[in-house]
Amino acid sequence: MPELSAKSSMLQASPIRKLAPHAGAAEANGTNVIYLNIGQPDMPTPPEMMAALHDLPLTRLAYAPSEGLPEAREAWSDFFSSWDIDFAPDQILVTSGASEALTFILAIVAGGGDEVLVFEPCYTNYLSFAAQADVRLVPITLRVDDGYHFGSIDRLRACITPKTRAILLCNPSNPTGTVYTADELEAVAQVARENDLFVICDEVYREFVFDGGQIRSFTRFKDLAQRIIIVDSVSKRFNACGVRIGCMATHNREILDVALRYCQARLSVPTAEQLMVVPILENGRACSENLCGEYERRRDAVFKGLAAIDGVSPNLSEGSFYTMTRLPIDSCVEVAVFLLRVFSVDGDAVCLAPGEGFYVTDGLGVDEVRIAFMYDADTLNRAMKILGAAVGAYSGRLATTTS
Ligand SMILES: Cc1ncc(COP(=O)(O)O)c(C=O)c1O
């Protein structure tokens, strides 16, 4: 057989889905699995979106324009305006989720082993997007003990090399729940100014900021308008991951022109789905504001539950709908498998996302897990109790086998 490309071997299996076979086996045995590993919202897709799907004014599903349907671009522009973010429709390209936007952007701003700075732990698919674009992600490692904040601008400056092309920032962060402070955002902006860099801002969780904290889009840095590329999506904020509609937006005409060529190469984004998101984008602010309150209640349940586990000092997630935490265990992959294969309470088991898959640096995150808040607070309470009992049982088992 001919060999596959070298690039193929660089794509990692998603750590979020890796435990799926064990979860499937547990379910086949009649166990109820509580999935804390995946950020797929459990709440209904807004009725106006479902109504738009039923009432689509179409007799033929033709290709949409590569840049997106005019009404979808208008709707994204209106949605941005509702958050005081200024992008005209022709500065927006509709993409197949934020995922497609990110693969295009990385390939446009870098390549050939160029470097892009990223805070780790990071959204795990950044690693695959970068591998596809032949981009080297240079991690700035954040620590749970610092609440996953980087603090000083020197952390960024220390990573700059002649090959650095961009900073990729996810704010609020998946997987840590970090909402970067005004000073941290200014530090990112300043390093971009000093070093002639682009800033790729993944703001798919923009409005999910807890405890009354301020929502700060990176577009606030008007002097950097030509360097900023925003990535957005309907997936999370409208409980609509399966719709596969996102966008990229920038004031940089050269980037838009090149990105349009990428868009043309894939022809178009599904016509029906683009029309389906128009009404909700036009009235999107209220919808995501309501969701944020619900995620905050869930965050509180997870935080309280984790704090009650011996040896766990949870980090208070500030936004998105995730938290990362360290467990008093050497290998969270093993405890995650134990939780699915061996340990259940009253027929319930828990599926976690082991932390190591969220790091660019090998060997980091082995004692961390990411938890997504995709159930109501009562179920999350129960899940945290199961997790606590499992950590105790797993440690006890280790003590027995090693003594
Ligand atoms: C930070 C982040 N960016 C991008 C994506 C991809 O979003 P989409 O469903 O729009 O492709 C996700 C999905 O989980 C994410 O968490």
Side-chain angles (χ1 to χ4, degrees):
M1 278 296 233
E3 275 184 28
L4 303 185
S5 70
K7 209 183 256 186
S8 311
S9 66
M10 292 168 71
L11 297 190
Q12 66 158 0
S14 165
I16 300 167
R17 295 175 193 270
K18 234 189 233 172
L19 293 168
H22 298 296
E27 281 184 336
N29 286 334
T31 306
N32 171 47
V33 178
I34 304 174
Y35 289 95
L36 304 181
N37 60 324
I38 192 154
Q40 163 112 277
D42 58 312
M43 288 175 274
T45 302
E48 49 270 64
M49 270 177 92
M50 300 315 287
L53 176 66
H54 289 294
D55 301 339
L56 283 176
L58 297 173
T59 51
R60 186 171 66 106
L61 282 165
Y63 286 127
S66 299
E67 61 274 25
L69 288 168
E71 46 274 67
R73 299 171 90 195
E74 287 274 355
W76 272 112
S77 175
D78 290 349
F79 176 72
F80 284 128
S81 303
S82 75
W83 291 102
D84 296 323
I85 298 170
D86 166 38
F87 286 116
D90 71 348
Q91 294 171 325
I92 297 167
L93 296 170
V94 181
T95 54
S96 181
S99 304
E100 188 182 56
L102 285 160
T103 48
F104 290 170
I105 295 164
L106 282 171
I108 291 168
V109 305
D114 287 335
E115 295 172 0
V116 170
L117 304 191
V118 70
F119 295 106
E120 70 173 354
C122 64
Y123 174 48
T124 179
N125 280 347
Y126 289 168
L127 278 67
S128 297
F129 300 154
Q132 287 175 62
D134 196 13
V135 165
R136 195 168 95 78
L137 288 181
V138 174
I140 301 154
T141 306
L142 306 180
R143 299 185 193 286
V144 60
D145 301 325
D146 302 326
Y148 297 107
H149 280 273
F150 64 91
S152 159
I153 192 169
D154 297 336
R155 297 285 317 280
L156 281 87
R157 284 186 175 136
C159 296
I160 300 289
T161 77
K163 296 190 117 205
T164 314
R165 294 282 170 270
I167 303 169
L168 169 53
L169 179 75
C170 179
N171 186 38
S173 160
N174 171 11
T176 59
T178 307
V179 176
Y180 293 98
T181 63
D183 286 349
E184 285 174 312
L185 295 181
E186 174 52 37
V188 172
Q190 182 54 24
V191 169
R193 282 184 203 107
E194 285 169 4
N195 297 283
D196 195 18
L197 304 178
F198 290 110
V199 187
I200 306 163
C201 309
D202 183 340
E203 298 192 352
V204 303
Y205 301 99
R206 183 184 306 107
E207 307 91 276
F208 297 153
V209 174
F210 305 145
D211 306 314
Q214 213 181 320
I215 295 165
R216 296 187 183 95
S217 169
F218 205 79
T219 51
R220 70 209 310 253
F221 297 104
K222 305 282 182 230
D223 65 313
L224 294 179
Q226 291 297 317
R227 300 177 179 281
I228 293 173
I229 311 148
I230 296 286
V231 174
D232 217 322
S233 170
V234 304
S235 289
K236 313 293 172 156
R237 66 167 57 86
F238 302 132
N239 306 329
C241 295
V243 172
R244 309 307 306 132
I245 298 290
C247 74
M248 59 174 280
T250 178
H251 293 266
N252 184 312
R253 186 46 54 193
E254 196 187 352
I255 290 181
L256 286 165
D257 288 347
V258 179
L260 179 57
R261 283 179 239 153
Y262 279 86
C263 293
Q264 287 167 346
R266 59 80 165 114
L267 301 180
S268 68
V269 169
T271 306
E273 275 83 347
Q274 289 195 61
L275 290 173
M276 184 182 166
V277 303
V278 168
I280 190 72
L281 279 172
E282 284 168 350
N283 183 28
R285 184 169 173 148
C287 173
S288 47
E289 276 171 346
N290 287 341
L291 287 176
C292 185
E294 174 61 18
Y295 287 130
E296 188 172 321
R297 281 188 286 283
R298 295 173 176 201
R299 183 279 312 262
D300 291 345
V302 169
F303 182 78
K304 207 168 142 212
L306 286 172
I309 301 175
D310 256 1
V312 176
S313 310
N315 179 51
L316 189 70
S317 167
E318 298 155 330
S320 73
F321 45 54
Y322 305 98
T323 191
M324 270 191 85
T325 191
R326 194 188 287 142
L327 297 180
I329 299 267
D330 286 343
S331 165
C332 283
V333 172
E334 283 177 26
V335 85
V337 173
F338 173 77
L339 261 158
L340 290 169
R341 298 195 54 151
V342 182
F343 196 84
S344 61
V345 175
D346 298 333
D348 287 338
V350 163
C351 186
L352 298 168
E356 59 192 59
F358 298 92
Y359 282 85
V360 180
T361 309
D362 281 345
L364 293 184
V366 288
D367 58 352
E368 289 168 75
V369 289
R370 188 196 71 171
I371 293 172
F373 312 152
M374 300 294 106
Y375 291 85
D376 59 51
D378 286 347
T379 310
L380 290 169
N381 274 328
R382 198 161 82 244
M384 292 305 109
K385 287 201 176 110
I386 298 171
L387 176 60
V391 166
Y394 182 82
S395 311
R397 217 162 89 131
L398 278 188
T400 323
T401 45
T402 50
S403 60

